[in-house]
Amino acid sequence: MNSSPRQEPDIPLAEKLFDELRRRTADGPGVTRESYGAGEQAAHDLVAETGRTLGLEVETDHVGNTYVTLPGRERFAPKIIVGSHMDSVPQGGNFDGAAGVVSGLAALSGLLRTGVTPARDISVMAVRAEEGCWFPETWLGSRMALGNLPADIFDQLRRIDTGLTLAEHMADCGFDPQTVREGAPCLDPAKIACFLEVHIEQGPVLAAEGFPIGIVQAIMGGPRYRDARILGTYAHAGGAPRMYRHDTVAALGQFITEVNAFWKELERDGRHTVFTFGTVATDPALHSFSRVPGEVRFCLDARGCDDASVRSIRETVASLARTVEQQHGVSFAFGLDSGPAVLPMDEGLKDLLAVIAERRGVPFKKMSSGAGHDAGAFIECGVPTAMLFIRNENGSHNPNEAMDLSDFAEATRVLTDFLVEYR
Ligand SMILES: [Zn+2]
């Protein structure tokens, strides 16, 4: 391992790329790079142009992901992929997704300047269609590349704004949905040594706690009840005394309070979790000012960063519901639990990133990712994976996301050293 790193990323290139991306995909106050649309294509074109200008190998796979590769000494050894997505939400921010690709390109350009030939190939992968806002599914580009999507999905998923299917949009952009339907992957997990994703943090933690970067420990998972209900009895608001009621809104109120108290307990034990009741509704056809509500719908999205926390969430949520059922004379129907599993980052990769950050003098926080990322698609296929977060103010998926270039440079220095030191 190098005791004094010499390689430095090409930060002026990164600055130029961010400006150019903004210029090519500006839309009102933000940027719009729609999945398999003009904005995303413009971003991929810029990545490919940059790769060619740097004299690197540029390829596009049959689903439209772009790869810029610095050849290593052992061309047949499993390669390192550094990647993130180039699509954005409508009028989103310039850095969500793009920062990871630009970081990879700045690292490769830095290695070229220093004359470093890496031990194995390093590919920067610009991924298609990660966001779930255009098609009602996430991580499409990475999951298609890894052959990890059901074949019928290409003709079922329709883009929200155009109504056209994923297959139609892919074909429009010149890619080959038929090959994907036949299940041919573009990437063989056995030929990938590791996957690394640099991404802006989408929450306030790094900014609030004063860390320029985060080393992600896991992508959180947990139960998601999208269609939960509490069933009770409609009754006259004046005529039904409390003890005779089966009031579903009163029951839900208590349930939410109990779940939040449980959340506080978990936090006191140092277990990072999140709970969100994103929608709560009584039926407008049946509810009224003077009627005790006999049914309420809600959804609950709960996330933890390890399997033990997720197990405890599932058990406690169920037991709190039973208590509320008894106290209010109602019944809970949680419906389908569509919650994903926790996706842990690779121990060895996290350790190497931490060693490098310490040596570089870059303060970092070990944290989990509440949101999903392309990294998750690689973990699902057994590829050793790691993620770095960059401090970012004002969240993401909005034009006000604010990442300092100096924080981006710190993350990219850690990435650059990683690419040289990974064995
Ligand atoms: Zn993103």
Side-chain angles (χ1 to χ4, degrees):
M1 199 172 284
N2 297 354
S3 56
S4 55
R6 290 162 295 121
Q7 60 275 349
E8 282 297 320
D10 186 350
I11 299 303
L13 171 70
E15 200 169 4
K16 213 175 80 189
L17 289 175
F18 284 131
D19 289 347
E20 187 61 15
L21 273 171
R22 191 186 296 282
R23 195 184 67 75
R24 291 192 191 184
T25 59
D27 180 19
V31 300
T32 297
R33 302 171 193 144
E34 63 281 36
S35 304
Y36 291 104
E40 185 187 62
Q41 186 60 50
H44 279 255
D45 289 346
L46 180 62
V47 171
E49 285 165 29
T50 305
R52 280 191 282 270
T53 307
L54 291 171
L56 297 167
E57 295 178 1
V58 177
E59 284 167 287
T60 304
D61 66 23
H62 56 251
V63 304
N65 299 307
T66 306
Y67 303 83
V68 173
T69 301
L70 172 63
R73 292 191 296 276
E74 293 286 340
R75 296 231 62 188
F76 294 105
K79 64 177 176 177
I80 301 174
I81 301 184
V82 179
S84 197
H85 60 99
M86 297 308 287
D87 59 331
S88 75
V89 301
Q91 297 201 1
N94 199 32
F95 302 121
D96 185 337
V101 177
V102 171
S103 179
L105 292 172
L108 291 195
S109 174
L111 294 182
L112 279 173
R113 285 179 169 185
T114 326
V116 173
T117 304
R120 54 184 80 232
D121 285 11
I122 304 169
S123 289
V124 173
M125 177 181 183
V127 183
R128 292 270 174 180
E130 187 269 352
E131 298 286 4
C133 59
W134 300 101
F135 295 98
E137 190 62 74
T138 53
W139 317 349
L140 284 170
S142 46
R143 288 159 79 199
M144 284 192 284
L146 290 158
N148 201 14
L149 275 182
D152 51 0
I153 206 165
F154 308 100
D155 302 302
Q156 280 174 3
L157 294 183
R158 289 181 182 276
R159 212 171 83 180
I160 306 291
D161 55 338
T162 62
L164 298 176
T165 64
L166 174 58
E168 287 165 332
H169 270 287
M170 288 173 68
D172 263 4
C173 293
F175 307 117
D176 181 6
Q178 188 53 33
T179 315
V180 190
R181 274 196 206 98
E182 288 160 8
C186 318
L187 291 172
D188 176 358
K191 292 182 180 159
I192 306 169
C194 63
F195 179 82
L196 231 91
E197 181 165 6
V198 176
H199 200 281
I200 56 167
E201 195 213 347
Q202 293 168 289
V205 177
L206 293 174
E209 299 184 13
F211 293 96
I213 67 167
I215 298 178
V216 178
Q217 307 295 299
I219 294 176
M220 296 171 90
R224 294 192 192 166
Y225 304 105
R226 291 172 188 273
D227 191 22
R229 288 179 302 158
I230 304 177
L231 302 167
T233 309
Y234 288 98
H236 191 288
R242 197 175 66 79
M243 63 181 295
Y244 295 109
R245 289 188 180 203
H246 308 277
D247 182 338
T248 56
V249 167
L252 180 59
Q254 186 184 335
F255 181 63
I256 292 173
T257 306
E258 304 268 2
V259 166
N260 275 276
F262 167 55
W263 184 6
K264 276 188 195 156
E265 248 171 65
L266 288 167
E267 281 189 332
R268 266 197 301 273
D269 295 346
R271 291 160 90 173
H272 175 50
T273 44
V274 285
F275 293 82
T276 307
F277 290 86
T279 63
V280 165
T282 47
D283 182 347
L286 294 173
H287 68 195
S288 94
F289 172 70
S290 58
R291 200 173 191 196
V292 176
E295 179 174 348
V296 63
R297 291 176 176 272
F298 66 97
C299 57
L300 171 58
D301 174 328
R303 304 180 194 205
C305 33
D306 55 75
D307 291 340
S309 298
V310 169
R311 225 178 1 259
S312 155
I313 289 172
R314 281 206 168 86
E315 286 167 7
T316 307
V317 162
S319 111
L320 291 174
R322 279 194 298 276
T323 308
V324 172
E325 281 178 337
Q326 282 158 12
Q327 291 179 2
H328 289 267
V330 296
S331 59
F332 278 68
F334 278 99
L336 192 71
D337 175 356
S338 61
V342 173
L343 296 170
M345 300 294 157
D346 181 80
E347 291 297 329
L349 301 183
K350 286 188 298 190
D351 290 349
L352 179 54
L353 289 170
V355 165
I356 292 169
E358 263 163 31
R359 196 186 53 222
R360 280 275 191 179
V362 183
F364 63 88
K365 181 181 171 73
K366 291 182 178 176
M367 61 195 299
S368 45
S369 173
H373 296 282
D374 289 307
F378 285 82
I379 298 172
E380 282 177 346
C381 291
V383 176
T385 295
M387 281 192 82
L388 282 178
F389 272 170
I390 306 174
R391 172 165 52 191
N392 163 55
E393 305 231 25
N394 310 326
S396 78
H397 290 186
N398 74 71
N400 303 320
E401 62 181 35
M403 174 195 75
D404 264 10
L405 200 67
S406 60
D407 291 340
F408 170 87
E410 296 286 36
T412 307
R413 281 186 195 108
V414 173
L415 171 69
T416 309
D417 287 359
F418 175 94
L419 296 177
V420 174
E421 293 176 26
Y422 175 84
R423 291 288 178 268

